[in-house]
Amino acid sequence: MALPLLLGQLLAFMGHGGAFYLEVRELEEKCFIQEIPDGTVVIGNYKTELYDPAMEKYQPSPQWINLFVFVKDPENKNLLARQYGPQGSFTFTSQSPGEHQICLHLESIRFALFYDGKLAIHLDMQLGEHTNDYAEFAAKDKLTQLHLRVQQLVEQVELIQKEQEYQRWREERFRQTSESTNQRVLWWSILQTFILVATGVWQMQHLKSFFKAKKLV
């Protein structure tokens, strides 16, 4: 019982995506940043709604509403650029650790949207082990409850290792940034000191020449 409890406590501190609610207009793009370790499977389950002023509430979007999803990794490379229907899911796998930009916008395949074009997106992001359907695994592979639990624990340990590697990578990047900043501050201080000394020497030479000229007069 100690191992599952420990894993549960560790996983409680880890990010596994989140739920988002976005209100948009047609063609208005909404973007957000998600920090993701490398080699992590990400699934976004979504549904869209269209505002009905007669009912004064949002209704499920018709089939002629499309969702466009764009995902870029920390190196600004495209991981995903696809068009989807009004409800469904999208999937991608991170190739490098760091901040991934996820952008969404809705578009009508008709000439213009009715109802003033007010739309809403409900999005649930799932990362890593949370993307697995263990009930399907158990039915497909005829796994016992014990085997299924062991598989879950193995995958959770792998997820913890990925998260630890990602945290180490973040710490190393922060250390490099701090060292670079400190080095720049040091060189700037040295340059300021050199400028002050040079200015002082020039002023002394100028005053010395001025007083010599006064004596000659």
Side-chain angles (χ1 to χ4, degrees):
M1 293 297 292
L3 180 59
L5 180 60
L6 175 61
L7 290 173
Q9 291 174 340
L10 288 172
L11 287 170
F13 293 100
M14 297 167 55
H16 299 299
F20 302 88
Y21 174 77
L22 308 171
E23 290 187 352
V24 297
R25 301 276 182 175
E26 185 181 11
L27 301 180
E28 179 186 1
E29 189 173 69
K30 292 284 188 178
C31 298
F32 58 93
I33 300 296
Q34 180 77 51
E35 289 194 354
I36 307 173
D38 62 331
T40 301
V41 177
V42 180
I43 295 179
N45 298 303
Y46 71 90
K47 69 175 181 178
T48 64
E49 295 176 326
L50 184 62
Y51 184 74
D52 185 348
M55 301 289 293
E56 295 186 345
K57 65 178 182 179
Y58 285 94
Q59 301 284 359
S61 295
Q63 292 300 315
W64 41 268
I65 298 293
N66 290 327
L67 177 71
F68 290 81
V69 182
F70 303 94
V71 180
K72 290 186 177 182
D73 68 4
E75 283 78 37
N76 208 34
K77 296 179 182 177
N78 288 327
L79 290 181
L80 181 65
R82 283 192 59 185
Q83 172 184 328
Y84 297 88
Q87 182 171 347
S89 64
F90 58 87
T91 306
F92 65 91
T93 302
S94 60
Q95 304 297 324
S96 58
E99 296 180 342
H100 290 65
Q101 184 183 55
I102 302 171
C103 296
L104 312 169
H105 80 261
L106 290 165
E107 185 175 340
S108 167
I109 60 176
R110 297 186 177 182
F111 294 106
L113 280 176
F114 297 113
Y115 312 134
D116 198 29
K118 292 173 64 177
L119 297 138
I121 304 172
H122 300 264
L123 175 63
D124 180 25
M125 299 285 292
Q126 299 180 346
L127 279 67
E129 176 259 344
H130 288 261
T131 63
N132 295 330
D133 187 346
Y134 289 106
E136 182 180 347
F137 288 164
K140 182 179 178 180
D141 299 333
K142 297 181 180 179
L143 298 176
T144 65
Q145 192 67 25
L146 178 60
H147 289 160
L148 185 63
R149 185 56 182 161
V150 169
Q151 183 173 345
Q152 285 179 305
L153 291 176
V154 169
E155 292 179 356
Q156 287 173 350
V157 169
E158 292 176 351
L159 185 62
I160 290 172
Q161 290 175 337
K162 283 185 180 180
E163 183 68 18
Q164 289 175 334
E165 291 173 359
Y166 176 60
Q167 294 301 330
R168 282 195 292 268
W169 175 82
R170 288 186 61 187
E171 290 173 4
E172 177 64 20
R173 187 179 62 173
F174 179 75
R175 184 185 63 79
Q176 291 175 353
T177 303
S178 298
E179 289 179 353
S180 176
T181 302
N182 291 337
Q183 190 174 23
R184 290 178 183 178
V185 170
L186 174 62
W187 282 110
W188 175 243
S189 300
I190 292 173
L191 178 61
Q192 285 182 315
T193 303
F194 174 78
I195 292 173
L196 289 173
V197 171
T199 302
V201 171
W202 178 81
Q203 287 178 337
M204 289 177 62
Q205 292 294 332
H206 180 72
L207 288 172
K208 191 175 181 181
S209 300
F210 174 76
F211 286 123
K212 280 184 178 180
K214 282 288 186 180
K215 286 182 178 181
L216 291 175
V217 174

